[in-house]
Amino acid sequence: MTTILKNTVWLLFMAFAVVSCSKEKEQGKEINGQCWYKITIEEQTTHPNQFGQDHLIFSSVTGPDGKSGLSLDLIQTKSNGQQYNALKLGSEPSGLFNDKTSMGTTYLVNFFNAIAAHLPDLGEYTYRMENNATPEDGVLTVTVLENSERRMRFKVSGTIMKKEGGVENWSDVVLVPLDAEFSFDRTYYNEMTSNGVDMAGADCDCKP
């Protein structure tokens, strides 16, 4: 992305956060529990706030050149105050998601990174797919399960490579299955256009 496009996307994200917080205050307990996920990797299943305070971000962006990208992030704050991007995935190019996207629409993931959420820190392993990955690194898809007036639900499924070592010293361990679902109440959702950039997304804290 160009610098102008990156700055525009950043401003849109900030606007999303402000609008989402305002809506949450207005709705109160009515949307409690509608910022939700379930992730299963190597038969280890994680639910919201099980190992820290979780924050979910979903976005889909199309630039002036028509190129698009979709991303999903799980930000986790541990009891010691440390904050981790526990899961991050991207699909580019993907086609813009909006309130008219049909149920069953599928996006191919081309970047994925996740830590073992049950550990107090980064731990020994990570689950990772680099940009322009080959099937040997895993194959993951994002599927729209629901896009209704009530909520949006996405399913992430396939395989991902388990890796060990540091950022500059990754080594493959084994391909493992991954199955996940993410759900956002519609009140968290926004669509915006600025400087030729179309953006749709949701931003929310998972409730106790």
Side-chain angles (χ1 to χ4, degrees):
M1 288 187 184
T2 65
T3 300
I4 294 176
L5 180 55
K6 287 181 178 179
N7 290 339
T8 300
V9 170
W10 170 250
L11 290 173
L12 288 173
F13 266 124
M14 294 299 292
F16 269 27
V18 171
V19 174
S20 295
C21 288
S22 298
K23 286 185 177 181
E24 183 174 353
K25 289 179 181 178
E26 291 173 4
Q27 295 293 327
K29 293 183 179 180
E30 290 183 18
I31 56 175
N32 191 20
Q34 294 302 309
C35 182
W36 177 90
Y37 72 87
K38 180 177 73 172
I39 303 169
T40 301
I41 305 178
E42 287 197 281
E43 300 182 357
Q44 173 75 43
T45 299
T46 303
H47 295 92
N49 299 336
Q50 190 174 354
F51 302 107
Q53 174 60 56
D54 294 323
H55 184 85
L56 295 178
I57 303 172
F58 167 78
S59 68
S60 181
V61 181
T62 297
D65 59 0
K67 294 183 179 180
S68 58
L70 179 148
S71 65
L72 184 62
D73 292 80
L74 165 59
I75 311 298
Q76 189 172 87
T77 302
K78 299 293 188 179
S79 59
N80 61 4
Q82 290 281 354
Q83 195 172 74
Y84 298 106
N85 198 325
L87 181 148
K88 182 178 184 64
L89 69 79
S91 175
E92 186 177 344
S94 62
L96 180 67
F97 175 92
N98 58 33
D99 60 358
K100 298 179 177 62
T101 301
S102 301
M103 182 177 66
T105 299
T106 298
Y107 307 90
L108 183 64
V109 175
N110 67 343
F111 176 83
F112 182 91
N113 190 76
I115 62 174
H118 61 286
L119 298 176
D121 51 35
L122 292 179
E124 183 178 359
Y125 297 103
T126 189
Y127 305 91
R128 188 172 180 86
M129 175 192 297
E130 301 286 353
N131 287 324
N132 303 315
T134 66
E136 286 73 22
D137 296 315
V139 177
L140 291 172
T141 58
V142 178
T143 302
V144 179
L145 295 181
E146 183 178 349
N147 189 18
S148 67
E149 294 182 356
R150 179 186 176 191
R151 63 185 176 183
M152 303 171 298
R153 289 193 300 127
F154 304 93
K155 179 180 178 64
V156 182
S157 59
T159 57
I160 187 66
M161 180 59 71
K162 180 179 182 179
K163 294 177 179 283
E164 61 183 353
V167 175
E168 298 179 357
N169 191 35
W170 294 124
S171 61
D172 295 347
V173 179
V174 64
L175 276 176
V176 298
L178 181 147
D179 187 75
E181 185 176 331
F182 298 84
S183 179
F184 298 86
D185 190 279
R186 180 61 68 176
T187 53
Y188 292 122
Y189 177 78
N190 293 282
E191 292 182 11
M192 296 182 182
T193 299
S194 178
N195 293 334
V197 178
D198 296 318
M199 184 172 180
D203 184 301
C204 58
D205 286 320
C206 295
K207 304 297 181 181

